[in-house]
Amino acid sequence: MSESHPEPHFDLDELHTLLGPRLVRDPELIAPYAVDTSRAVAEGAPLAVVLAESTADVAAALGWANRAGVKVSVRGAGTGLAGGAMAYADGLVVSLERMRTIIDIDVPNRLATVQPGVVTADLDAAARDHGLFFPPDPASARISTVGGNIATNAGGLRCVSHGVTSDAVAALEVVLADGRVMRSGARTRKNVVGYDLTRLFVGSEGTLGVITEATVRLKPVPPGSPRTFRASFGTLEDAGRAVTAIVNSAARPEVLELMDALSVEIIESFHPSGLTVPAGAMLVGQTVGWDAQEQAEAITAICRDVGADDTEISETDALLEARRLSNPALNARGLKISCDVGVPVAALAEVFHGIAEISAKHGKRVSTVAHAGDGNLHSTVESPDTPVGIREADAVIDDITRLALALGGTISGEHGIGSVKRHELGWQLDPVALGVQVAIKRALDPLGTLTPGRGI
Amino acid sequence: MSESHPEPHFDLDELHTLLGPRLVRDPELIAPYAVDTSRAVAEGAPLAVVLAESTADVAAALGWANRAGVKVSVRGAGTGLAGGAMAYADGLVVSLERMRTIIDIDVPNRLATVQPGVVTADLDAAARDHGLFFPPDPASARISTVGGNIATNAGGLRCVSHGVTSDAVAALEVVLADGRVMRSGARTRKNVVGYDLTRLFVGSEGTLGVITEATVRLKPVPPGSPRTFRASFGTLEDAGRAVTAIVNSAARPEVLELMDALSVEIIESFHPSGLTVPAGAMLVGQTVGWDAQEQAEAITAICRDVGADDTEISETDALLEARRLSNPALNARGLKISCDVGVPVAALAEVFHGIAEISAKHGKRVSTVAHAGDGNLHSTVESPDTPVGIREADAVIDDITRLALALGGTISGEHGIGSVKRHELGWQLDPVALGVQVAIKRALDPLGTLTPGRGI
């Protein structure tokens, strides 16, 4: 507690009585919990970290914090890119990393019930033992948690065919800001009983409640062997046109990703795999089902029609592996993703053209990877890690964001608002919609205990 | 205005000044607006009906009603089955039937923007002119409106493959209870900016706002010719087992419906089409895509394995047409659907067994049609249209509803709560979830102007 902080009106020993060793106060142990994977700046050391092992632990922590006036941040694996899981100075961190039990896999109903701290790829692997899989597939699936994915409505590589995380969530158990526990949703496909609270909590970024259990929808693993495909283009705009054409064809790619030349160069230098850096951009993707080969051939044919100078179809996963390494490769250069704009898929060529103009105007190199089939772009600006360099990079990102909005797009496709994009909210939401958002936050968390000042 | 009503503190002439002839006060003209298609009992004559032609009309009406303390009911085509569109005695009816323009069909982005009064089948037909279709397909699609479908999160026949209405809604324009206009959602596939207000308004049954424009997602028409299929079973339980097996197979039926023997008899006597009444139940459905024939064959093979005594595959739509006639056929007998329960699809055989027991216990004949692939059941009780007969029928429906809940199901799969199912809310929602629902309603409509006392 810093000297300038007013005397606290709470008793942390009271919470210790409730939680015992699950309340961690050792400054060295809690230091790593101050930050997440975003480029947000640490706000200060938290009071303590709750390593929750049950819904009751979460309820006790929130009940105490709400009464005590202590801000709470919520954390799965801390892989968020928008600053939503950053600790508050003298706040309480609720970590769900120990709640990692897969409670049930209901094969005939294709549902899984899990605790929030289950790593997403682990759930997917467990489902595959039953011939099923968990559709959401963020690039971070091997390190991020189901709870964090739900709290941010994470996207990922398979959205183009399977939708976003919210499409896979059937029911939730949630602890509200004051510690009360509720359930939303149902185990049925259809359910129209009251407002859709499940969808309200999905993507609410820890501001309305803490997810302590989730029932998610699984899908059957497609038959046959998947194929991956690659197409290299001389220009980014051509690659954008190809994506629009593919999405509007009879093909149904399960994955359709784009990496521009600079991205391929960054990934290849981080983890050489023999990828040839294209002049403009590379599309990579995957098809599944009995007709995976035919579909991959149809897609690469479209790419050649639109101007691809080199295409390839493969039975290995290496092309997608390269794409998954994009974030680690950027991080190794000291760069962190902060741009997560989306555009309608028919505007892809136009947005790439605009990004090139913005890059030239600012004199900054910009690398872009995209969940292209969804029109969701992550651009990273090469800029020194100094206050001036960061300010210059932010100006580029701001221009790209305004461009996406002008094309009918969104300021965030899958990472969320967190603390990093809060200044952009009013760019997209009209004042009435913003007012409704705030009214809902106040209705559910009147004292502002849960993740205050972030998300909405 | 009845004599017992307190002197109104409002001036309807003020609203007339704003709306001119779009405000209808003639008692004969507004009489049909007092009721919807449900079995709810009319509450009394409304003050007036607003035949809105624009968002501004709706905003003017709600602003006036909110200031004046007049209850507002909202109405598309009035085809709702849960009593959500019934007029309030001395209330104001906002009808959206004149707002029926398809504003735009954006083919490359597969989006349509429509006014709420567009008839659902008309939107589907317009999309098909571009090789696209509108996935939501309630049995009422030829008479119900897109706005009403969204307000109730309507289901329908194609949900088993394409999801419910909410899965097809990208963005909304909504007039709030106090007349303010806001927009939610985006034209992109992914959008995680603030709480998902679009999903909150979908299915909110007119209690949070009035939808005045919707941007919906279209899909490409599947290639090839669809096939319909039929399988007749000696028992309802066998039909239920077949559905569970089909849903868990590699087959992907676009439609998978069930009619029990009594339903087939009722439909066939209403509109004879040569259907043979099965001993137990009939499954009908549709497959699409290049492999429609192979899939239909796989499905009928599963049916025969589970005990179907007669199966058929056809290139005509007649089998589905029969299913679509279920509601009109029941109405012609003076019966109205009020049961809309859902169960996890693996529980279908068990719920049918239980319904037979409930029917025997009460000594009432029960007919059931089901969107079987979704586990969504509509049971109708044959009972005299007298106060005693209705009470006896309600007791049967209550038992079926509790059975569905005991099997992990829901009290409403697609019709909503309206006024008819309000007493059942607490059967499904826990008190904390109910409290959150009420808190959201109060946050958005503090004066209780919009559809008060219904839905949540």
Side-chain angles (χ1 to χ4, degrees):
Chain A
M1 189 122 320
S2 73
E3 289 184 338
S4 66
H5 201 92
E7 199 62 28
H9 59 288
F10 57 81
D11 178 4
L12 199 54
D13 290 334
E14 186 193 322
L15 187 57
H16 186 259
T17 306
L18 293 170
L19 297 175
R22 279 112 59 209
L23 183 74
V24 182
R25 305 161 75 166
D26 179 333
E28 278 192 37
L29 293 177
I30 67 179
Y33 291 86
V35 296
D36 60 15
T37 311
S38 74
R39 62 196 182 87
V41 178
E43 298 188 13
L47 279 181
V49 174
V50 176
L51 297 175
E53 293 183 358
S54 68
T55 301
D57 284 353
V58 176
L62 295 196
W64 177 86
N66 198 54
R67 286 191 303 274
V70 170
K71 295 177 181 176
V72 173
S73 59
V74 191
R75 185 182 184 92
T79 58
L81 295 168
M86 304 287 290
Y88 294 95
D90 299 327
L92 186 68
V93 175
V94 173
S95 170
L96 302 157
E97 67 198 285
R98 290 191 180 177
M99 292 179 69
R100 56 182 173 225
T101 302
I102 296 175
I103 297 166
D104 176 55
I105 294 186
D106 174 353
V107 175
N109 289 312
R110 293 178 179 169
L111 296 169
T113 300
V114 300
Q115 289 190 314
V118 169
V119 169
T120 303
D122 291 347
L123 168 59
D124 189 55
R128 283 177 194 271
D129 289 342
H130 301 277
L132 301 170
F133 74 105
F134 180 55
D137 178 37
S140 62
R142 285 174 204 162
I143 49 172
S144 62
T145 63
V146 176
N149 290 177
I150 294 174
T152 56
N153 193 9
L157 274 64
R158 292 195 289 241
C159 298
V160 64
S161 60
H162 299 293
V164 292
T165 297
S166 68
D167 296 312
V169 182
L172 295 173
E173 179 189 77
V174 175
V175 179
L176 300 177
D178 58 8
R180 288 179 300 158
V181 181
M182 59 156 274
R183 287 182 172 272
S184 70
R187 297 176 71 80
T188 54
R189 186 77 169 83
K190 296 154 84 177
N191 176 44
V192 290
V193 179
Y195 308 131
D196 191 344
L197 299 186
T198 306
R199 296 282 184 162
L200 185 64
F201 287 111
V202 175
S204 64
E205 300 190 59
T207 64
L208 297 181
V210 178
I211 295 159
T212 47
E213 189 183 293
T215 299
V216 298
R217 297 195 176 98
L218 307 174
K219 288 190 177 181
V221 175
S225 300
R227 295 290 188 283
T228 55
F229 58 84
R230 175 184 65 76
S232 294
F233 293 85
T235 71
L236 253 170
E237 290 93 319
D238 278 351
R241 268 185 285 276
V243 171
T244 306
I246 293 164
V247 169
N248 280 288
S249 75
R252 295 163 281 105
E254 190 180 48
V255 174
L256 185 55
E257 300 283 314
L258 179 148
M259 298 177 280
D260 71 359
L262 182 52
S263 297
V264 177
E265 185 187 314
I266 289 171
I267 294 167
E268 188 63 17
S269 73
F270 174 72
H271 183 86
S273 68
L275 276 185
T276 305
V277 178
M282 183 182 290
L283 285 186
V284 296
Q286 179 165 290
T287 52
V288 294
W290 292 121
D291 57 352
Q293 176 71 24
E294 290 80 353
Q295 287 210 54
E297 286 170 9
I299 289 168
T300 50
I302 291 170
C303 289
R304 286 191 300 273
D305 283 351
V306 181
D309 45 36
D310 184 23
T311 64
E312 179 190 351
I313 295 172
S314 162
E315 293 191 35
T316 76
D317 198 36
L319 294 167
L320 294 186
E321 278 304 306
R323 168 63 186 89
R324 279 182 224 276
L325 287 172
S326 168
N327 257 4
L330 287 167
N331 291 345
R333 290 200 177 197
L335 300 171
K336 287 190 175 178
I337 284 280
S338 65
C339 178
D340 174 39
V341 297
V343 295
V345 75
L348 274 172
E350 200 170 347
V351 77
F352 287 131
H353 181 78
I355 289 172
E357 288 186 338
I358 290 166
S359 167
K361 181 183 108 185
H362 288 266
K364 293 278 187 190
R365 290 217 302 176
V366 174
S367 67
T368 298
V369 294
H371 303 303
D374 302 311
N376 182 201
L377 283 69
H378 303 307
S379 294
T380 305
V381 182
E382 290 201 343
S383 197
D385 191 17
T386 62
V388 171
I390 290 169
R391 206 159 49 238
E392 288 175 350
D394 282 346
V396 176
I397 298 295
D398 280 358
D399 276 2
I400 294 173
T401 304
R402 289 184 190 280
L403 168 66
L405 285 171
L407 293 171
T410 178
I411 62 176
S412 183
E414 59 180 16
H415 295 165
I417 300 303
S419 57
V420 170
K421 294 190 204 78
R422 214 155 186 252
H423 67 289
E424 301 170 3
L425 270 178
W427 300 1
Q428 179 167 340
L429 301 182
D430 66 56
V432 180
L434 265 175
V436 169
Q437 301 264 1
V438 170
I440 291 170
K441 167 68 176 172
R442 286 198 185 132
L444 269 70
D445 180 15
L447 303 180
T449 300
L450 265 175
T451 319
R454 298 189 192 144
I456 278 302
Chain B
M1 189 121 324
S2 72
E3 288 183 339
S4 66
H5 202 91
E7 199 62 28
H9 59 287
F10 56 80
D11 178 5
L12 199 55
D13 289 336
E14 185 193 321
L15 187 57
H16 186 259
T17 306
L18 294 169
L19 297 175
R22 278 114 58 212
L23 183 74
V24 182
R25 306 161 73 165
D26 179 334
E28 279 191 37
L29 292 177
I30 66 179
Y33 291 86
V35 296
D36 60 15
T37 310
S38 73
R39 63 194 181 88
V41 178
E43 298 189 12
L47 279 180
V49 174
V50 176
L51 297 174
E53 294 182 357
S54 66
T55 301
D57 284 352
V58 176
L62 295 196
W64 176 86
N66 197 54
R67 286 191 303 274
V70 170
K71 295 176 181 177
V72 174
S73 60
V74 191
R75 185 182 185 91
T79 59
L81 295 169
M86 304 286 292
Y88 294 94
D90 299 327
L92 187 67
V93 175
V94 173
S95 170
L96 302 157
E97 67 199 286
R98 290 191 180 177
M99 293 180 68
R100 54 181 176 228
T101 302
I102 296 174
I103 298 166
D104 176 55
I105 294 187
D106 174 353
V107 176
N109 288 313
R110 293 179 180 168
L111 295 171
T113 300
V114 300
Q115 288 190 315
V118 170
V119 169
T120 303
D122 292 347
L123 168 58
D124 188 56
R128 284 178 193 271
D129 290 343
H130 301 277
L132 302 170
F133 75 106
F134 180 55
D137 178 35
S140 62
R142 285 173 204 162
I143 48 172
S144 62
T145 63
V146 176
N149 291 176
I150 293 173
T152 56
N153 193 8
L157 275 63
R158 291 194 289 242
C159 298
V160 64
S161 59
H162 299 294
V164 292
T165 297
S166 68
D167 296 312
V169 182
L172 294 174
E173 179 189 77
V174 174
V175 180
L176 300 177
D178 59 7
R180 289 178 300 160
V181 181
M182 58 155 277
R183 286 182 173 271
S184 70
R187 297 176 71 80
T188 54
R189 185 78 170 84
K190 293 154 85 176
N191 176 44
V192 290
V193 179
Y195 308 131
D196 190 342
L197 298 186
T198 305
R199 297 280 185 162
L200 186 64
F201 287 112
V202 175
S204 65
E205 300 190 60
T207 63
L208 297 181
V210 178
I211 296 159
T212 48
E213 189 183 293
T215 299
V216 298
R217 297 195 176 99
L218 307 175
K219 288 190 177 180
V221 175
S225 301
R227 295 290 188 282
T228 55
F229 59 82
R230 174 184 66 76
S232 293
F233 292 85
T235 71
L236 254 170
E237 290 93 320
D238 277 353
R241 270 185 284 275
V243 172
T244 307
I246 293 164
V247 169
N248 279 288
S249 75
R252 295 163 281 105
E254 190 180 48
V255 174
L256 185 55
E257 299 284 313
L258 178 147
M259 299 177 280
D260 69 0
L262 182 53
S263 298
V264 176
E265 185 188 315
I266 289 171
I267 294 165
E268 188 63 18
S269 72
F270 173 71
H271 184 84
S273 70
L275 276 185
T276 304
V277 177
M282 184 183 288
L283 286 185
V284 297
Q286 179 165 289
T287 52
V288 294
W290 292 120
D291 57 354
Q293 176 70 27
E294 289 80 354
Q295 288 210 54
E297 286 170 9
I299 289 168
T300 49
I302 291 170
C303 290
R304 286 191 300 274
D305 283 349
V306 180
D309 45 38
D310 184 24
T311 64
E312 178 190 352
I313 296 173
S314 162
E315 294 193 33
T316 77
D317 199 33
L319 294 167
L320 294 186
E321 276 305 305
R323 168 63 186 88
R324 279 181 225 276
L325 288 172
S326 168
N327 258 4
L330 288 167
N331 291 346
R333 292 201 176 196
L335 301 171
K336 287 190 174 177
I337 284 279
S338 64
C339 178
D340 175 39
V341 298
V343 294
V345 76
L348 274 172
E350 200 171 346
V351 77
F352 287 130
H353 181 76
I355 290 172
E357 288 186 337
I358 291 166
S359 168
K361 180 183 110 185
H362 288 266
K364 294 279 186 190
R365 291 218 301 176
V366 174
S367 66
T368 298
V369 294
H371 304 303
D374 302 312
N376 182 201
L377 281 68
H378 303 308
S379 294
T380 306
V381 183
E382 288 202 344
S383 197
D385 192 16
T386 62
V388 171
I390 290 169
R391 207 160 49 235
E392 289 176 349
D394 282 347
V396 177
I397 299 294
D398 280 0
D399 276 2
I400 294 173
T401 304
R402 290 185 191 278
L403 168 67
L405 285 171
L407 293 171
T410 177
I411 62 176
S412 184
E414 59 181 17
H415 295 165
I417 300 303
S419 57
V420 170
K421 293 191 204 77
R422 214 157 187 249
H423 67 290
E424 302 171 3
L425 269 178
W427 302 0
Q428 180 168 340
L429 301 182
D430 65 57
V432 179
L434 265 174
V436 169
Q437 301 264 0
V438 171
I440 291 170
K441 167 68 176 172
R442 286 200 184 130
L444 268 71
D445 181 15
L447 302 181
T449 300
L450 265 175
T451 317
R454 297 187 194 146
I456 278 303

